């Protein structure tokens, strides 16, 4: 459960927790754009400082980011191998049998690693400081302009909200079914391949049945309460943008503009 | 033999901000030839406790001795499969665990996992389905076609088919119709009395405790509040008041008479015995 850090909300009540979700989403996008501008070491250094600042403003320890990073380490290793095999730019550093390793390969991998770390840090900051429900409200508002294209942002937001809402329920359900089947002698660790497949089937089938049942019940309950996706609805939670939110937006926008300009003049 | 908990404790997600102490310092020695009820408010740790009995959960403190095995906090137990066969655990709402194509296959699934051959597994599946009262015409249906009550019974048959020496049930009758409840309770009673197997049952129904159980464990906020025979439990006025439970009619009668200043001296909870005690009191 604890390995599942990416995309989890932590109720810490820090500066960034109190900011408007729409502003935070926009700032994340600005930051990501800046990350993809080619501004050399110095640019990444400043972005790194900004990312650390964001961690401080959300009272997060780097350990949490490290946890969120862990699934990516494998991917980075894989990338390194591919880069080393393919890229032959820069100085040849040393030779291993038939393989010559160039500085370009290491440099390229390093760049990608830095970008990934920055991206993961900033998205983790967003999800850790924003309640899922606020996140979907924010997304809904930001998608509002697309309504002209006969595209209903509210439906998307509702789907996201429901999906997020049911993740913990599904995890709980999986655990319960796993235990129930373990009581009937299902052993996911030992046994032959055939037994293992049977074990997985014994988990998946009840999980599907329960999920469909739940979805149907939910649809009935929503309909019973008069939910209609295409009707206009008022909101219980309203989002308000305050002084610090404008400030944050300004800083975020400034960072992006500076980085775009920097990458052009460089 | 008995099931012995010594200083047993369980903490969910230990060493994290979400850590939660669900059981602490449980000391029990449950007679596994009897029917024992486990009662307590929602969240008092009943389900947590019974999941220790077949080692689905492991104690984070203390030890548990069951079926000749010792499970100790911090020691990873080896090959739990034999224990899971000896201690059959029926979860709350077990109907969600049905998954095979036919009812018969689903009930035979458990025994097959424990190495029983196909024919024997099917034979015991048929026997157990008949015990829980499912018609042979339903054996080859998909479990999803059964009614709610039938699903529950099929799922219970799936554990009975393991022929466990201790049967543990988590609120087995919750949400069933009265006739279905009675049938299941009789089944558990017979499983204990005829087959000489231990039965532990989590329940909220005091009628069931009174009519079918021998002993009662009361849990409260993860601790054992009392562990007595059913008779002692229902005659313990202080405890009953503290628990504020809906009482079975006989016990309610005694309680009301007592509150009205009419002490009924009885050590039996049979209606006739209680009425006899009332008559004796009236004659004095
Ligand atoms: N997987 C879990 N993780 C964290 N806490 C849990 C978990 N399961 C149960 N709990 C908590 O432990 C306490 C006891 O739960 P449980 O044993 O299910 O109670 P009961 O069965 O008596 O209603 C409850 O407060 C519950 O919230
Ligand atoms: Mg429970």
């Amino acid at each position: 459960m604890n390995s599942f850090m990416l995309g989890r909300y932590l109720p810490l009540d820090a500066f960034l927790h109190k900011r408007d979700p729409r502003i935070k989403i926009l700032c994340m996008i600005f930051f990501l754009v800046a990350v993809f501008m080619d501004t050399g070491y110095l640019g990444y250094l400043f972005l790194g400082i900004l990312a650390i600042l964001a961690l401080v403003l959300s009272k997060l320890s780097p350990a949490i980011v490290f946890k969120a990073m862990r699934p990516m380490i494998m991917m980075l290793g894989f990338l390194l191998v591919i880069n080393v095999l393919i890229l032959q730019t820069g100085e040849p550093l040393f030779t291993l049998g038939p393989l010559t390793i160039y500085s370009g390969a290491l440099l390229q991998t390093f760049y990608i690693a830095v970008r990934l770390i920055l991206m993961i840090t900033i998205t983790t900051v967003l999800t850790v400081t924003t309640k899922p429900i606020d996140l979907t409200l924010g997304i809904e508002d930001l998608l509002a302009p697309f309504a002209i294209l006969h595209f209903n942002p509210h439906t998307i937001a509702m789907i996201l909200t429901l999906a997020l809402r049911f993740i913990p329920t599904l995890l709980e359900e999986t655990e319960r079914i796993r235990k129930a089947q373990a009581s009937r002698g299902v052993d996911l660790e030992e046994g032959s391949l055939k037994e293992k497949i049977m074990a997985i089937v014994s988990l998946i089938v009840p999980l599907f049945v329960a999920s469909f049942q739940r979805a149907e019940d939910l649809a009935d309950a929503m309909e019973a309460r008069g939910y209609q996706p295409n009707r206009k609805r008022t909101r219980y939670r309203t989002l308000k943008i305050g002084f610090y939110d404008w400030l944050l937006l300004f800083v975020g926008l400034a960072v992006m503009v500076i980085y775009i300009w920097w990458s052009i003049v460089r | 033999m008995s099931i012995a908990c010594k200083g047993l404790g369980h903490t969910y997600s230990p060493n994290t901000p979400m850590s939660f102490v669900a059981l602490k310092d449980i000391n029990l020695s449950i007679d596994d030839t009897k029917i024992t009820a486990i009662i307590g408010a929602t969240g008092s740790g009943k389900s947590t406790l019974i999941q220790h009995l077949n080692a689905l959960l492991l104690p984070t403190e203390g030890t548990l001795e069951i079926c000749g095995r010792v499970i100790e906090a911090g020691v990873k137990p080896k090959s739990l499969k034999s224990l899971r066969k000896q201690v059959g655990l029926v979860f709350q709402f077990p109907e969600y665990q049905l998954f095979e194509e036919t009812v018969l296959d689903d009930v035979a699934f458990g025994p097959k996992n424990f190495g029983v051959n196909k024919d024997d597994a099917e034979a015991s599946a048929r026997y157990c389905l008949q015990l829980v009262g499912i018609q042979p015409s339903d054996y080859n249906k998909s479990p999803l076609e059964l009614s709610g009550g039938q699903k529950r019974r099929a799922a219970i048959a799936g554990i009975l088919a393991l022929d466990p020496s201790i049967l543990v049930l988590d609120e087995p009758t919750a949400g069933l119709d009265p006739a279905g409840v009675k049938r299941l309770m009789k089944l558990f009673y017979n499983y204990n009395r005829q087959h000489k197997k231990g039965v532990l049952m989590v329940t909220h129904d005091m009628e069931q405790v009174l009519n079918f159980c021998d002993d009662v464990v009361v849990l409260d906020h993860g601790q054992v509040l009392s562990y007595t025979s059913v008779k002692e439990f229902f005659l313990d006025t202080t405890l009953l008041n503290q628990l504020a439970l809906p009482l079975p009619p006989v016990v309610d009668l005694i309680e009301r008479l007592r509150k009205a200043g009419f002490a009924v001296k009885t050590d039996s909870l049979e209606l006739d015995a209680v009425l006899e005690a009332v008559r004796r009191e009236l004659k004095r």
Side-chain angles (χ1 to χ4, degrees), chain A residues 1-2 8 173 176-187 195 198 201-202 205-206 209-210, chain B residues 16 18 51 54 56-57 81 84 89 91-93 96-100 106 109-110 113-114 144 159 162:
Chain A
M1 191 172 178
N2 289 311
R8 215 163 88 190
E173 193 105 4
R176 237 172 50 106
I177 294 170
R178 188 190 66 75
K179 281 179 175 172
Q181 304 297 29
S183 303
R184 296 211 279 169
V186 170
D187 196 334
E195 282 170 332
M198 202 58 184
V201 170
S202 78
V205 172
V209 172
Chain B
T16 68
M18 285 93 65
Q51 284 174 51
N54 72 348
L56 284 175
L57 291 177
K81 227 168 159 168
R84 302 224 163 117
L89 179 65
F91 264 80
Q92 198 172 359
F93 304 117
Y96 289 115
Q97 73 205 38
L98 302 171
F99 77 100
E100 280 274 19
D106 201 280
F109 175 68
N113 279 329
F114 288 110
L144 301 180
I159 297 294
L162 305 177

Side-chain angles (χ1 to χ4, degrees), chain B residues 71-274:
Chain B
I71 296 168
E72 215 177 323
V75 182
K76 204 171 154 70
K78 281 193 216 79
S79 96
L80 293 168
K81 227 168 159 168
S82 64
L83 180 63
R84 302 224 163 117
K85 164 137 185 18
Q86 282 175 294
V87 182
L89 179 65
V90 179
F91 264 80
Q92 198 172 359
F93 304 117
E95 48 271 34
Y96 289 115
Q97 73 205 38
L98 302 171
F99 77 100
E100 280 274 19
E101 278 171 52
T102 69
V103 174
L104 192 67
D105 281 345
D106 201 280
V107 176
F109 175 68
K112 277 194 263 178
N113 279 329
F114 288 110
V116 176
N117 71 44
K118 195 164 179 287
D119 290 339
D120 291 350
E122 278 191 8
S124 68
R126 277 175 207 282
Y127 174 68
C128 293
L129 280 168
Q130 172 253 319
L131 270 188
V132 297
I134 295 211
Q135 302 302 322
S137 57
D138 290 334
Y139 290 2
N140 288 316
K141 280 192 186 167
S142 154
L144 301 180
E145 289 172 51
L146 299 181
S147 75
Q150 283 175 319
K151 277 186 200 163
R152 174 82 56 92
R153 283 184 272 154
I156 291 173
I159 297 294
L160 287 176
L162 305 177
D163 192 29
S165 40
I166 300 176
L167 179 64
V168 184
L169 304 128
D170 197 348
E171 304 191 29
T173 60
L176 288 188
D177 59 295
V181 170
K182 198 150 187 195
R183 173 171 200 126
L184 277 183
M185 288 310 300
K186 279 195 177 142
L187 172 69
F188 304 145
Y189 190 80
N190 287 338
Y191 194 72
N192 170 257
R193 295 298 197 265
Q194 288 173 5
H195 301 256
K196 305 274 176 276
K197 314 255 181 157
V199 175
L200 269 89
M201 189 175 78
V202 174
T203 181
H204 288 288
D205 188 335
M206 293 305 124
E207 287 279 346
Q208 290 175 4
V209 176
L210 179 63
N211 294 328
F212 295 100
C213 299
D214 301 307
D215 291 336
V216 200
V217 176
V218 186
L219 285 186
D220 181 47
H221 291 101
Q223 286 177 305
V224 178
L225 200 60
S226 88
Y227 174 43
T228 57
S229 72
V230 165
K231 213 162 65 183
E232 285 170 77
F233 172 72
F234 281 115
L235 293 173
D236 184 347
T237 316
T238 340
L239 180 63
L240 288 181
N241 279 338
Q242 185 188 340
L243 295 176
L245 294 164
L247 297 174
V250 180
V251 180
D252 195 37
L253 175 70
I254 299 176
E255 282 293 292
R256 281 175 191 231
L257 287 171
R258 194 187 52 74
K259 276 194 189 130
F262 192 95
V264 182
K265 292 192 192 67
T266 175
D267 53 7
S268 166
L269 287 169
E270 295 293 324
L271 185 60
D272 288 341
V274 173

Side-chain angles (χ1 to χ4, degrees), chain B residues 12-13 20 22 40-49 170-171:
Chain B
Y12 283 109
S13 330
F20 181 85
T42 304
S44 56
K46 306 180 295 291
S47 302
T48 307
L49 177 63
D170 197 348
E171 304 191 29

